[in-house]
Amino acid sequence: MLMKHISTDSGIEIKEIYSENEKQEISNKEFPGQFPFTRGIQPDMYRGKLWTMRQYAGFSTAEESNKRYHYLLSQGVSGLSVAFDLPTQIGYDSDHELAEGEVGKVGVAIDSIEDMELLFAGIKLEDVSTSMTINASGFILLAFYVALAKKQGADLKKIAGTIQNDILKEYAARGTYIYPPKPSMRIITDIFEWCSKNLPKWNTISISGYHIREAGSTAVQEIAFTLSNGKAYVKAALEKGLDINVFGKRLSFFFNAHNNLFEEVAKFRAARRMWATMMKDLGATDEKAMMLRFHTQTGGSTLTAQQPLNNVSRVTIQTLAAVLGGTQSLHTNGYDEALSLPTEEAARIALRTQQVVAFESGVTDTVDPLAGSYFVESLTNEVEKKAWELINKIDVMGGSVAAIEQGFMQDEIARSAYEYQRNIESGEKIIVGVNKFTIDKETPIPGFKIDDSIRELQVEKLEKLKSERNNDEVAKSLESIANAAKDGTNIMPCVILAVENKCTLGEIADVLRKEFGEYK
């Protein structure tokens, strides 16, 4: 009788049974909180402190998003996570012609320091940790946040949070880039340098595998491409003369959690071990600079518009994968997000899912509860082996930037996405409610929609801002940014001054478009 062939989406064959004979030995000396951190970066993990429970939110105007943030804080979130609309992400003010139809739709519209004040009205920045999902224009949003913190009288040494700031994955998988790779990398290292001196608790980059996975990669490709991108950022910072033992402590990662529970747990464990090895090889001597700290979001691409309440079960499995894998921070998706932005009810259920796992499941009672499992240890080793093979290919090409320029990452992701979809359409891959266990009639789920009139409100605010500000100071501020871009000095101080002088996001981005050009 032929044995059934079963493999993960990454192509790793799953044996019928695992025993000590198949298990590659894990060192008996490998403990949580110690190099290479396979079992977690803290000795006591969640026994000492639970992960930060975030809910990714942002829509419409800053005022409307602020209401949602206050609601989420009242419901027990321990960190905010800001979604920005598409014009903000690509450096256009709401009154730009290319912003039409997109203002406030997939996130909140932020055009100026005044919008930032409204976004965090009634929230002391010293008291919250804020994650901002922003890349090409991330330096401007960071400047808004810093300027607001200063206005609140906050101690910048206490300001905590993360800015995504990962442009390489934009070229490979997502597309919200502005400038070419070289000047984009320069902006990122300017942020590293400025924050290391002025914002020591801020995570200066969240190197993102999430969007690589959303574009169709496998779990193995997700960590291989993400860690390769991380290596590229570290090398760029080293070339700038920065200390790996300083900036290395402020690097963070952002991963996806999908439905294959054990492969996802193995992925997180392998990624920690690989990053620790990579950083050590790059010259880090402080173990804190070798720790892979990461935020996780449950898989947006796994959510189905068909029978959307099934997504509650999917998100629960993905939450368990992230927690069993040792995440430091987690966002859970709403069950309705395949249809629209999450409603308040869906956001609450998503948060409650995390809270049930944290306080009722018992999985937080001990560190790395799956350690020693013949299956999980073997799968961790297999994921690591396949990921190193991909990283070595990228290194031969000259690193991530070269691999992206040659289309290697994009082609690998596209191939995997095609194979995955083909398996769904053939029925080999079962998606409950989509290609099996379907129903004839769906019960409508109320969606959450954004009105197009939002753009009119933002344009009115911009017109008022520009009529009341000191436009001579605006012109001087924009000129200083252009000069910094030309002479190579760190751009962050002059960008912060510019936003304090009420320059808009689009005006600052446009100055650098003229100096750096746009990536096509």
Side-chain angles (χ1 to χ4, degrees):
M1 179 179 173
L2 288 173
M3 296 295 293
K4 186 178 179 183
H5 177 79
I6 297 175
S7 63
T8 71
D9 292 332
S10 296
I12 297 170
E13 186 173 353
I14 303 301
K15 299 173 185 177
E16 184 177 20
I17 189 168
Y18 287 77
S19 67
E20 193 168 2
N21 294 331
E22 283 85 27
K23 176 187 154 192
Q24 295 181 37
E25 283 301 315
I26 183 168
S27 170
N28 291 328
K29 295 179 181 177
E30 201 165 286
F31 292 104
Q34 296 178 17
F35 181 90
F37 310 108
T38 311
R39 301 192 61 192
I41 63 168
Q42 301 296 340
D44 56 355
M45 286 302 288
Y46 306 132
R47 286 170 69 100
K49 181 187 176 187
L50 289 175
W51 63 93
T52 302
M53 296 183 193
R54 298 188 187 277
Q55 286 306 111
Y56 185 51
F59 54 89
S60 181
T61 61
E63 296 95 325
E64 288 300 312
S65 292
N66 176 260
K67 291 176 188 175
R68 177 65 66 90
Y69 295 155
H70 279 284
Y71 171 75
L72 290 170
L73 288 167
S74 75
Q75 294 298 305
V77 301
S78 45
L80 297 175
S81 186
V82 184
F84 297 96
D85 74 357
L86 199 55
T88 303
Q89 291 180 48
I90 53 178
Y92 291 125
D93 288 334
S94 298
D95 59 1
H96 194 283
E97 60 183 2
L98 293 179
E100 189 169 352
E102 295 292 344
V103 175
K105 290 295 179 69
V106 299
V108 62
I110 300 293
D111 294 321
S112 71
I113 182 65
E114 292 185 354
D115 284 332
M116 205 67 161
E117 287 185 67
L118 293 169
L119 187 66
F120 290 101
I123 299 170
K124 286 185 68 177
L125 301 191
E126 268 192 23
D127 296 341
V128 295
S129 165
T130 302
S131 172
M132 296 193 283
T133 303
I134 194 80
N135 298 282
S137 56
F139 65 104
I140 307 172
L141 272 300
L142 178 60
F144 284 147
Y145 197 83
V146 169
L148 178 57
K150 288 167 67 178
K151 199 166 185 179
Q152 289 185 353
D155 179 356
L156 294 187
K157 299 284 191 289
K158 295 179 181 176
I159 296 297
T162 304
I163 195 162
Q164 191 164 104
N165 198 30
D166 173 8
I167 202 64
L168 292 178
K169 65 94 177 50
E170 296 295 330
Y171 303 121
R174 191 161 176 264
T176 61
Y177 42 72
I178 303 175
Y179 315 112
K182 191 173 180 182
S184 294
M185 293 292 278
R186 175 261 171 102
I187 293 171
I188 288 168
T189 56
D190 278 0
I191 293 169
F192 286 2
E193 182 180 50
W194 187 85
C195 287
S196 68
K197 296 171 184 173
N198 300 281
L199 221 62
K201 290 182 72 176
W202 192 265
N203 297 324
T204 50
I205 193 167
S206 177
I207 305 157
S208 176
Y210 183 84
H211 305 95
I212 290 170
R213 192 69 176 278
E214 290 293 284
S217 82
T218 65
V220 164
Q221 289 170 336
E222 179 188 354
I223 61 168
F225 296 160
T226 306
L227 297 185
S228 279
N229 289 348
K231 183 194 273 192
Y233 293 125
V234 171
K235 285 187 169 182
L238 289 171
E239 286 169 10
K240 196 178 179 75
L242 304 184
D243 185 346
I244 193 170
N245 288 317
V246 176
F247 75 78
K249 295 175 188 175
R250 301 321 312 168
L251 305 177
S252 67
F253 288 80
F254 174 24
F255 290 120
N256 213 312
H258 273 219
N259 293 328
N260 191 318
L261 177 68
F262 294 107
E263 184 177 42
E264 294 300 292
V265 172
K267 175 188 80 178
F268 297 132
R269 298 174 88 248
R272 265 194 301 274
R273 189 156 71 201
M274 293 171 72
W275 183 247
T277 302
M278 196 177 276
M279 286 295 277
K280 191 173 185 178
D281 290 345
L282 287 165
T285 54
D286 187 327
E287 286 204 346
K288 287 187 176 179
M290 303 175 199
M291 291 179 179
L292 183 143
R293 297 166 299 115
F294 66 97
H295 169 72
T296 309
Q297 182 174 340
T298 56
S301 62
T302 69
L303 301 176
T304 63
Q306 301 92 330
Q307 300 178 42
L309 286 172
N310 293 343
N311 294 326
V312 175
S313 299
R314 293 185 176 100
V315 170
T316 303
I317 292 169
Q318 294 162 10
T319 300
L320 277 169
V323 172
L324 289 168
T327 193
Q328 278 65 67
S329 169
L330 178 61
H331 162 80
T332 34
N333 291 326
Y335 65 81
D336 55 359
E337 286 191 64
L339 300 164
S340 69
L341 289 171
T343 58
E344 196 169 275
E345 178 194 50
R348 183 176 64 251
I349 291 171
L351 175 61
R352 294 290 181 258
T353 302
Q354 293 197 51
Q355 292 165 335
V356 168
V357 169
F359 298 108
E360 297 184 30
S361 72
V363 299
T364 62
D365 293 345
T366 190
V367 180
D368 195 16
L370 295 182
S373 155
Y374 299 140
F375 179 37
V376 170
E377 296 295 358
S378 177
L379 197 51
T380 300
N381 292 334
E382 283 295 312
V383 168
E384 180 179 10
K385 177 185 169 187
K386 283 184 170 287
W388 278 125
E389 287 170 1
L390 273 174
I391 289 170
N392 291 337
K393 280 186 183 178
I394 291 167
D395 285 345
V396 169
M397 292 177 192
S400 276
V401 175
I404 289 165
E405 288 173 344
Q406 293 172 41
F408 173 74
M409 287 190 192
Q410 298 93 312
D411 290 346
E412 288 286 303
I413 294 167
R415 180 182 54 76
S416 295
Y418 172 78
E419 285 296 318
Y420 187 82
Q421 186 60 33
R422 193 170 65 104
N423 289 337
I424 291 172
E425 291 177 8
S426 70
E428 188 176 332
K429 177 83 176 172
I430 293 171
I431 306 296
V432 174
V434 175
N435 63 357
K436 199 163 187 177
F437 313 114
T438 57
I439 54 178
D440 294 331
K441 190 175 180 181
E442 294 275 356
T443 303
I445 296 285
F448 184 73
K449 303 295 182 187
I450 302 299
D451 196 290
D452 282 330
S453 64
I454 297 303
R455 185 172 187 243
E456 294 170 22
L457 295 173
Q458 285 298 114
V459 170
E460 285 174 15
K461 285 197 283 186
L462 278 166
E463 287 173 350
K464 186 172 184 289
L465 172 87
K466 290 177 180 178
S467 68
E468 294 177 351
R469 68 187 182 180
N470 184 328
N471 284 300
D472 288 336
E473 289 300 319
V474 167
K476 287 178 189 174
S477 297
L478 295 176
E479 186 180 1
S480 72
I481 294 171
N483 291 336
K486 288 187 186 88
D487 65 25
T489 56
N490 194 302
I491 65 167
M492 284 305 297
C494 52
V495 173
I496 293 167
L497 182 61
V499 303
E500 289 175 332
N501 285 329
K502 300 191 176 180
C503 295
T504 69
L505 172 128
E507 288 169 335
I508 295 167
D510 281 348
V511 167
L512 295 182
R513 278 187 176 94
K514 289 177 185 173
E515 298 302 325
F516 295 150
E518 292 186 72
Y519 183 73
K520 303 293 184 184

